[in-house]
Amino acid sequence: MRSDGAIFPSWKSGRPPSSNTFAALLRIAQIEAGVRRAHFARVDLSHLCSEVVEAYVAVAEDVGQTIAARVEPGIAVSGDGNLLTQMLVNLVENAIRHTPTGSSISLRLAMVAEGPRLTVTDTGPGIPETEREKVFRRFYRLENSRTSSGSGLGLTLVAAVAELHAATVALADNAPGLCVMVAFPK
């Protein structure tokens, strides 16, 4: 997210990759230390989800993918809006980056009995079940993604943001593809 609040694809930010890696590590450390809780306020998660998908429709189209959203209106959580936006951006960028041309990406936000539920799915290769816990480790990358851009910090940051917000992150098979579920508390 730019300082003016606009969302943009991080790989087009113009910053060198080492700067992005350092910034991500610093942000993860701040999140894990709980420093960011001072910025908690009521955040319209429905609005954030819609904004992120809208910002990435053209990016997905440029690489021959489709992205769609089903977002229930009026879902809000207590949290840090910048961090929640970064979490959403990381999930969408991962789906775009790690799926081939012709893939479909879907973001869904719904209120369920347990609380807000965010789901990002794609029709790409997915993540083998034996690797799913490992991808949350710092710098861990699947063998088939080592030749693509990225530092192996995206899902680490997603997990840290979720934990700060008392949410849980789970990965599942989308048959084909990956399903990332973030469950927020009531």
Side-chain angles (χ1 to χ4, degrees):
M1 182 183 275
R2 294 191 320 218
S3 60
D4 64 1
I7 299 168
F8 63 98
S10 65
W11 66 76
K12 295 181 181 178
S13 66
R15 292 184 301 189
S18 60
S19 172
N20 291 338
T21 300
F22 179 76
L25 284 170
L26 181 60
R27 185 168 283 209
I28 290 167
Q30 290 175 334
I31 293 166
E32 290 175 346
V35 172
R36 301 293 297 227
R37 279 197 179 93
H39 300 283
F40 272 29
R42 204 76 186 139
V43 177
D44 185 340
L45 197 55
S46 298
H47 180 71
L48 283 184
C49 287
S50 296
E51 275 191 335
V52 168
V53 169
E54 183 179 323
Y56 280 88
V57 166
V59 175
E61 287 175 357
D62 285 350
V63 293
Q65 300 166 340
T66 60
I67 186 169
R70 290 188 336 221
V71 177
E72 287 183 21
I75 297 177
V77 296
S78 176
D80 181 313
N82 288 332
L83 290 178
L84 291 168
T85 300
Q86 185 64 57
M87 180 181 74
L88 291 166
V89 165
N90 282 10
L91 291 172
V92 170
E93 282 187 359
N94 274 353
I96 292 170
R97 183 180 292 125
H98 298 293
T99 59
T101 299
S103 296
S104 298
I105 300 161
S106 175
L107 184 146
R108 183 169 192 268
L109 179 65
M111 182 59 79
V112 297
E114 299 81 18
R117 180 76 35 93
L118 170 69
T119 308
V120 178
T121 59
D122 65 59
T123 58
I127 297 176
E129 190 171 350
T130 57
E131 302 284 315
R132 290 186 190 147
E133 287 303 314
K134 295 175 187 175
V135 296
F136 291 109
R137 295 182 197 159
R138 287 184 180 135
F139 302 113
Y140 187 84
R141 299 188 68 201
L142 296 176
E143 190 61 41
N144 63 353
S145 69
R146 291 179 193 260
T147 57
S148 64
S149 64
S151 62
L153 292 172
L155 286 175
T156 304
L157 183 64
V158 166
V161 171
E163 185 175 331
L164 182 70
H165 291 84
T168 59
V169 181
L171 304 179
D173 190 0
N174 194 43
L178 182 66
C179 175
V180 181
M181 296 166 285
V182 181
F184 292 88
K186 270 187 175 178

